[in-house]
């Protein structure tokens, strides 16, 4: 056998420039490292509430609407459609979920909330896929239309209902909550001991088994469900191909329009489910403006997660945790997070030095010193900073993760049927 034949049969060498994917083991490792750092901060600062059962339970409830919006964004963008309209679809979910929920029960409200969000997704799909309008323009239009439409509907529905007004709905019957009595109480006792890492782990697990809504369980299952559908089925492969190279997908017989429509309608339905969760589970009532920009934060969580379900869930959990700290401990908890930020910046500086990026390392080190001095010289932070903490976290996370992002290649790109023929 000739040398050329042997060399031809050798597998091509793999390039080492690819980035490591955010797989489940890596996500669990990141969570474990983050928990250890937070435990260290808790011990040093004395802010024992940052990993309490109540904080974790509240963080989960706050993270679910963000995660559902992020999951909706992932479906749309994996098919090549940018969905800035997630906020508007969440608004539709809150209104329709509350409207049906107070009349016919919470689960009917959940179903109708999903339909309301899906209708917003359908409108976005018609505008972007069929008429090829700029995706950002369409998404902003959906947000504005949803806000005005729900305000108009409230004037002659909730305003006429007992216990309602033009800005809020009557109270909705709650969905069943699960608490494991023996396990929940035991974990609360263990968390109260204040042991390093062990008590923090008990607080985290206790928060996951205390007053857990059945709808929260459904929402959590949607994360692995989305991963399985999009990455382990032929349907998911075709859908993702529409976001990577729709022309090539069409040349192989994929109906690109159909898959884009399905993806965007599902995206709207998931955002609507997030809105229904806000109205039915989080507050038990519809209130005008209650989404509070969570659709945009969900989009940020999806980008942070690199358009992957696991990473998106991690980002949603981070934003929910920050919001929970603000609501439960206010200034004390957010002040403790300054120490965590200083430690993370020191680690970032060390990483940049390892990569021989001295300028970036110097900037990270300088900021770390400034944050640590701020923490050391103060006992609290201004109330304005406490209120802004979740949004500051969003900006910081996006800024730090921007270099590793890899969006679908045809995301937001115009496409016309017949280009692949």
């Amino acid at each position: 056998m000739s040398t050329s034949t042997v060399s031809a049969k050798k597998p091509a060498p793999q390039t080492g420039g690819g980035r490591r994917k955010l797989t489940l083991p890596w996500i669990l490792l990141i969570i474990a490292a983050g928990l250890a750092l937070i435990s260290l901060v808790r011990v040093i600062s004395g802010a024992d509430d940052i990993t309490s059962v109540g904080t974790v339970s509240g963080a989960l409830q706050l993270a679910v609407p963000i995660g559902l919006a992020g999951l909706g964004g992932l479906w749309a963008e994996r098919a090549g459609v940018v969905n800035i309209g997630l906020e508007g679809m969440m608004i539709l979910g809150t209104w329709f979920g509350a409207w049906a929920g107070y009349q016919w029960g919470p689960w009917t409200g959940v179903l109708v909330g999903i339909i309301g969000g899906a209708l917003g997704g359908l409108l976005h799909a018609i505008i972007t896929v069929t008429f090829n309008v700029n995706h950002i323009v369409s998404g902003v239009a959906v947000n504005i239309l949803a806000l005005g439409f729900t305000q108009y509907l409230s004037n002659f529905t909730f305003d006429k209902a007992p216990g309602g007004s033009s800005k809020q709905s009557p109270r909705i019957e709650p969905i069943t909550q699960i608490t494991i009595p023996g396990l929940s109480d035991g974990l609360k006792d263990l968390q109260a001991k204040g042991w390093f890492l062990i008590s923090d782990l008990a607080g985290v697990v206790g928060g996951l088994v205390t007053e857990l809504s059945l709808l929260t369980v459904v929402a959590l299952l949607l994360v692995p469900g989305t991963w399985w559908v999009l990455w382990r089925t032929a349907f998911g492969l075709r859908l993702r191909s529409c976001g990577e190279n729709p022309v090539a997908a069409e040349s192989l017989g994929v109906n690109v329009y159909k898959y884009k429509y399905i993806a965007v309608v599902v995206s709207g339905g998931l955002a609507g489910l997030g809105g229904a969760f806000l109205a039915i589970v989080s507050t038990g009532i519809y209130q005008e403006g209650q989404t509070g920009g969570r659709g945009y934060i969900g989009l940020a969580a999806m980008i942070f997660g690199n358009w992957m379900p696991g990473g998106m869930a991690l980002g949603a959990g981070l934003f929910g945790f920050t919001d929970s700290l603000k609501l439960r401990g206010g200034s004390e908890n957010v002040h403790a997070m300054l120490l965590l930020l200083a430690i993370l910046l020191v680690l970032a500086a060390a990483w940049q030095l390892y990569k021989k990026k001295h300028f970036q390392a110097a900037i990270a080190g300088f900021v770390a010193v400034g944050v640590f001095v701020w923490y050391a010289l103060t006992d609290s932070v201004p109330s304005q900073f406490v209120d802004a903490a979740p949004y500051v976290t969003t900006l910081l996370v996006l800024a730090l993760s921007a270099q590793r992002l890899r969006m679908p290649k045809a995301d937001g790109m115009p496409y016309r049927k017949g280009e692949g023929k």
Side-chain angles (χ1 to χ4, degrees), residues 227-292:
W227 172 82
W228 183 81
V229 170
L230 293 184
W231 274 268
R232 287 293 181 269
T233 65
F235 168 83
L237 177 62
R238 295 188 188 101
L239 188 146
R240 288 185 293 116
S241 71
C242 296
E244 294 292 337
N245 194 332
V247 174
E250 185 186 1
S251 68
L252 294 174
V254 175
N255 188 334
V256 176
Y257 275 19
K258 181 182 81 171
Y259 281 93
K260 284 180 179 287
Y261 261 88
I262 291 173
V264 181
V265 170
V266 170
S267 173
L270 287 168
L273 177 59
F277 186 96
L278 275 174
I280 297 170
V281 176
S282 297
T283 59
I285 195 170
Y286 164 82
Q287 293 176 309
E288 187 178 303
Q290 72 185 131
T291 55

Side-chain angles (χ1 to χ4, degrees), residues 19-31:
R19 297 185 184 276
R20 193 182 297 273
K21 289 184 178 180
L22 202 61
T23 56
L24 181 60
W26 277 100
I27 291 173
L28 294 176
L29 183 62
I30 291 170
I31 293 172

